[in-house]
Amino acid sequence: MMSRPEYPPELRRKNVKLALWVLVIVILMFITAVPFWVGLFELATGVR
Amino acid sequence: MTTATHAHADHEHHGPPSGLKRWLFSTNHKDIGTMYLVFALIMLFLGGASAMVIRAELFMPGLQLVQPDLYNNLVTNHALIMIFGAVMPAAAGLANWMIPLMIGAPDMALPRMNNLSFWILPAAALMLILSFVVPFFPGGGTQINTGWTLYPPLSLQVGMSMDFLIFAIHLLGVSSVLASINIIVTIFNMRAPGLRMMQLPIFVWAWLVTAFLLILVVPVLAAGVTMLLFDRHFGTSFFIAAGGGDPVLFQHLFWFFGHPEVYILILPSLGVLASILPTFSRKPLFGHHSLVGAMIAIAALGMIVWAHHQYTVGMSLAAVKYFMIMTILISIPVGLIIFNYMMTMWRGAMTFETPMLFTVAIILMFSFGGLTGVMLAVVPADMQYHDSMFVVAHFHYVLLPGAVWGLFAGVFYWLPKWTGHMYDEKLAKTFFWLHVVSFNITFFPQHFIGLAGMPRRIVDYNVMFTEFNMISSVGAFFFGISHLLFLYIIIKTVRGGEKAKARAWESAQGLEWEVESPPPHHTWTTPPTIKTA
Ligand code: HEM
Ligand SMILES: [Cu+2]
């Protein structure tokens, strides 16, 4: 019994590719959380 | 406006597999949506139970039911369960059910990952619950007394239950990120041919903006709690002053996530209203593009105002001025949405079925919460209000009307679509009035005791606050009870009732109303034809 529609291979590739690109943003946000978002802000404003 | 011509799916005889397997291995967006919603409802009751204990304790000054540490543990658990267990999964449930139906897609883009996003949640919830109960066992360490903000140095001193909590947050984060990726990919890649981005319903847009917010801020929370974990166990000093670190750094990381999080909680609900208003006003939405623009503006501004939660930590004058001005600026796009919705009702042929009742109440009371928000945004004023019950009143006025009621409204609006039955309108209206009136009895007095100086997150209080706390607690008990009625209405509707038509509401627009109620297990296996009128 089919519980999942089978997408055409081009669509599947396109979906996985976009998903991986978004995942890149996630990873970048994770590893840059401190040095970038906070560090840059601290430098700019002197806030701590 | 988009219209669709019927293109009936040829594979409708493929029903769902039966038994437990249907749910455990489900890759079907409707079944997963249902599981998200049921999970959220269970968490709503759990989080509600802790709120009832909190209000029972605060009924009178002095200690009656719980010790201070347990009180703070309850406050922490209440917030985390409501935010991560109830509101976010409920919104994800609506997204799963409605986005594929609304954009004419057969399912989510990555159906197996969708299964994973959901099934991480029960594990995360277990960890969250364990973080609450572990201290009751011998050797279980101290209770979590930090509140949902988990500030060090306190969070560095809590026992092992904090580690359970950090793990729970990691799992919740993975679940949200995977769900967001799925939603983004679905909206970009899976639209019916000819359906352009700017034609998408506002609910879909709201979720797209929300998913991007999640992608950008959840990893930062994950990084923050990971650093907490390292400080606790692996000898680092990110947040330990004695080692050259700074506890305020955690506050920046937390609120870099925390403020956008409040928009993550309200945007999907505001999107629901954009579906409901035209239906019961019998008029198209006043502005479509402007709503999209406003939501993007809210998200963008929402990411650069986080330190308005930290005015009192001693930032430079330039910094607090910046955060104050940017925070107040957000009221412009928020106001735009509110006026847009009011103009949609203006001179419409309105009727007030339960979803519409909630919508009107949301517009009134969410705006009120926004107003107290602007008060809190003003630095010198917030020096007084900060950490008082006034803040508690503020965020309950934005979160219940803004997030929770929008979800209730959406559930009533789409319940006929999901179940194939109309809900009992009379009971639902009773629920609405009981809920909304008791909500106001609970939280309105908290503004005054807050302004008069009662701090938040403290188990005991000065006798001068007794009367208003009693009113608040009595309101809270009725408020709690009202949810049993909600549960009853849902069960009753699932089990039977007047049959719902495909277009359950006579003037409802959108692709979701082109399929039967309840929809077959697979919909839009042949995409609908989009005509631009
Ligand atoms: C015009 C819009 C808003 C403004 C100007 C605003 C401003 C503020 C400020 C300045 C605080 C910090 C108060 C303090 O701790 O001293 C605050 C707290 C809070 N706000 Fe808002 N707010 C707005 C809308 C919202 C919305 C829409 C939500 C949620 C849906 C929300 C949820 C919260 C929460 C949860 C807190 C308390 C966080 C905590 O300390 O635990 N606010 N708000
Ligand atoms: Cu904020």
Side-chain angles (χ1 to χ4, degrees):
Chain A
M1 203 172 284
M2 191 180 70
S3 104
R4 179 162 53 87
E6 284 297 328
Y7 300 145
E10 323 84 77
L11 180 61
R12 293 171 65 157
R13 246 190 316 269
K14 204 173 138 200
N15 286 346
V16 172
K17 210 169 135 191
L18 181 54
L20 289 176
W21 273 114
V22 183
L23 189 64
V24 170
I25 307 180
V26 173
I27 294 167
L28 280 178
M29 288 305 293
F30 182 80
I31 56 184
T32 61
V34 188
F36 187 73
W37 290 103
V38 180
L40 184 76
F41 179 77
E42 281 184 25
L43 278 179
T45 62
V47 82
R48 29 153 257 121
Chain B
M1 275 288 112
T2 57
T3 50
T5 42
H6 262 275
H8 254 288
D10 28 336
H11 291 305
E12 271 160 28
H13 55 275
H14 287 296
S18 50
L20 196 61
K21 273 193 181 156
R22 166 175 179 180
W23 305 104
L24 221 48
F25 302 130
S26 179
T27 51
N28 181 284
H29 72 102
K30 302 182 188 78
D31 283 354
I32 293 177
T34 303
M35 289 195 290
Y36 265 114
L37 288 166
V38 171
F39 176 85
L41 193 57
I42 295 170
M43 289 292 133
L44 181 72
F45 278 95
L46 262 185
S50 48
M52 292 298 103
V53 180
I54 292 169
R55 275 323 315 173
E57 173 59 49
L58 292 180
F59 185 75
M60 278 193 295
L63 301 186
Q64 286 89 34
L65 294 173
V66 295
Q67 292 302 305
D69 264 354
L70 177 55
Y71 178 85
N72 288 337
N73 198 359
L74 283 163
V75 170
T76 310
N77 220 255
H78 164 71
L80 290 168
I81 287 187
M82 287 303 194
I83 292 170
F84 291 104
V87 174
M88 289 171 73
L94 292 186
N96 260 290
W97 252 105
M98 303 318 297
I99 290 176
L101 286 182
M102 285 177 154
I103 68 173
D107 206 306
M108 298 295 280
L110 303 149
R112 278 170 291 191
M113 194 169 84
N114 202 16
N115 174 294
L116 180 64
S117 312
F118 173 77
W119 280 108
I120 289 174
L121 278 184
L126 184 69
M127 287 298 133
L128 198 59
I129 294 165
L130 280 177
S131 79
F132 177 78
V133 297
V134 155
F136 294 103
F137 291 93
T142 54
Q143 313 213 31
I144 299 179
N145 48 7
T146 60
W148 80 293
T149 49
L150 312 178
Y151 283 2
L154 200 51
S155 53
L156 299 174
Q157 292 154 12
V158 174
M160 68 164 94
S161 47
M162 185 56 77
D163 303 316
F164 281 88
L165 184 53
I166 290 171
F167 188 41
I169 290 175
H170 280 140
L171 288 178
L172 290 162
V174 171
S175 165
S176 307
V177 163
L178 294 183
S180 303
I181 292 177
N182 219 333
I183 287 169
I184 290 171
V185 178
T186 303
I187 296 173
F188 280 138
N189 287 358
M190 304 288 293
R191 278 168 290 135
L195 183 58
R196 280 177 285 122
M197 285 301 282
M198 286 317 287
Q199 292 175 312
L200 290 176
I202 292 298
F203 176 74
V204 178
W205 262 107
W207 245 113
L208 183 64
V209 174
T210 305
F212 270 107
L213 274 178
L214 279 162
I215 290 300
L216 292 173
V217 302
V218 165
V220 178
L221 174 70
V225 296
T226 307
M227 290 154 83
L228 213 52
L229 189 72
F230 274 58
D231 273 8
R232 286 168 57 81
H233 296 293
F234 307 119
T236 57
S237 296
F238 291 110
F239 310 129
I240 302 170
D246 190 341
V248 177
L249 174 62
F250 181 83
Q251 300 190 12
H252 283 291
L253 289 171
F254 183 86
W255 289 114
F256 186 84
F257 151 83
H259 187 79
E261 172 70 13
V262 306
Y263 294 105
I264 289 164
L265 299 172
I266 57 162
L267 283 175
S269 294
L270 292 181
V272 170
L273 302 192
S275 286
I276 293 173
L277 277 160
T279 299
F280 298 105
S281 308
R282 291 158 185 82
K283 262 178 79 202
L285 216 48
F286 179 72
H288 189 269
H289 290 27
S290 61
L291 278 174
V292 173
M295 286 182 174
I296 295 174
I298 289 178
L301 280 172
M303 289 200 58
I304 52 175
V305 297
W306 70 90
H308 62 216
H309 294 272
Q310 310 160 216
Y311 286 150
T312 55
V313 295
M315 293 185 287
S316 71
L317 188 60
V320 290
K321 261 198 283 197
Y322 162 82
F323 281 113
M324 174 166 90
I325 292 166
M326 293 319 266
T327 303
I328 296 173
L329 279 181
I330 299 190
S331 40
I332 295 172
V334 174
L336 191 148
I337 293 182
I338 299 292
F339 282 122
N340 212 319
Y341 287 174
M342 291 190 338
M343 289 308 291
T344 303
M345 291 192 280
W346 180 252
R347 297 201 166 151
M350 287 195 281
T351 50
F352 295 94
E353 285 83 354
T354 310
M356 188 63 168
L357 279 179
F358 269 110
T359 303
V360 174
I362 290 164
I363 290 176
L364 287 170
M365 271 148 230
F366 175 69
S367 306
F368 185 80
L371 282 179
T372 56
V374 176
M375 291 171 71
L376 290 167
V378 179
V379 180
D382 185 64
M383 296 286 170
Q384 309 299 315
Y385 308 148
H386 181 63
D387 260 342
S388 77
M389 289 299 279
F390 187 80
V391 178
V392 176
H394 157 69
F395 67 72
H396 283 92
Y397 265 85
V398 276
L399 283 172
L400 276 126
V404 178
W405 295 359
L407 297 169
F408 281 148
V411 166
F412 284 117
Y413 184 60
W414 285 311
L415 205 52
K417 173 56 60 192
W418 301 335
T419 63
H421 302 132
M422 298 305 282
Y423 59 84
D424 185 329
E425 192 66 65
K426 219 171 171 172
L427 278 183
K429 283 186 176 164
T430 313
F431 165 66
F432 167 81
W433 286 110
L434 188 59
H435 186 82
V436 168
V437 171
S438 59
F439 162 79
N440 281 286
I441 297 174
T442 309
F443 293 106
F444 199 66
Q446 296 183 4
H447 291 102
F448 302 105
I449 42 182
L451 290 180
M454 178 172 159
R456 68 190 277 211
R457 291 178 178 164
I458 307 277
V459 62
D460 192 4
Y461 54 82
N462 192 299
V463 282
M464 73 190 238
F465 303 124
T466 309
E467 287 81 0
F468 276 28
N469 269 300
M470 284 185 168
I471 296 172
S472 183
S473 289
V474 171
F477 300 143
F478 282 104
F479 187 66
I481 289 168
S482 76
H483 294 83
L484 296 176
L485 184 55
F486 177 72
L487 182 65
Y488 175 72
I489 296 167
I490 300 290
I491 293 175
K492 194 169 166 220
T493 314
V494 171
R495 302 185 62 172
E498 191 195 323
K499 287 228 53 76
K501 294 204 245 344
R503 193 176 301 279
W505 309 105
E506 108 218 37
S507 44
Q509 295 290 328
L511 289 177
E512 76 262 39
W513 305 107
E514 307 285 334
V515 298
E516 295 149 54
S517 308
H521 199 52
H522 292 294
T523 38
W524 301 136
T525 38
T526 313
T529 317
I530 309 296
K531 283 188 282 181
T532 309

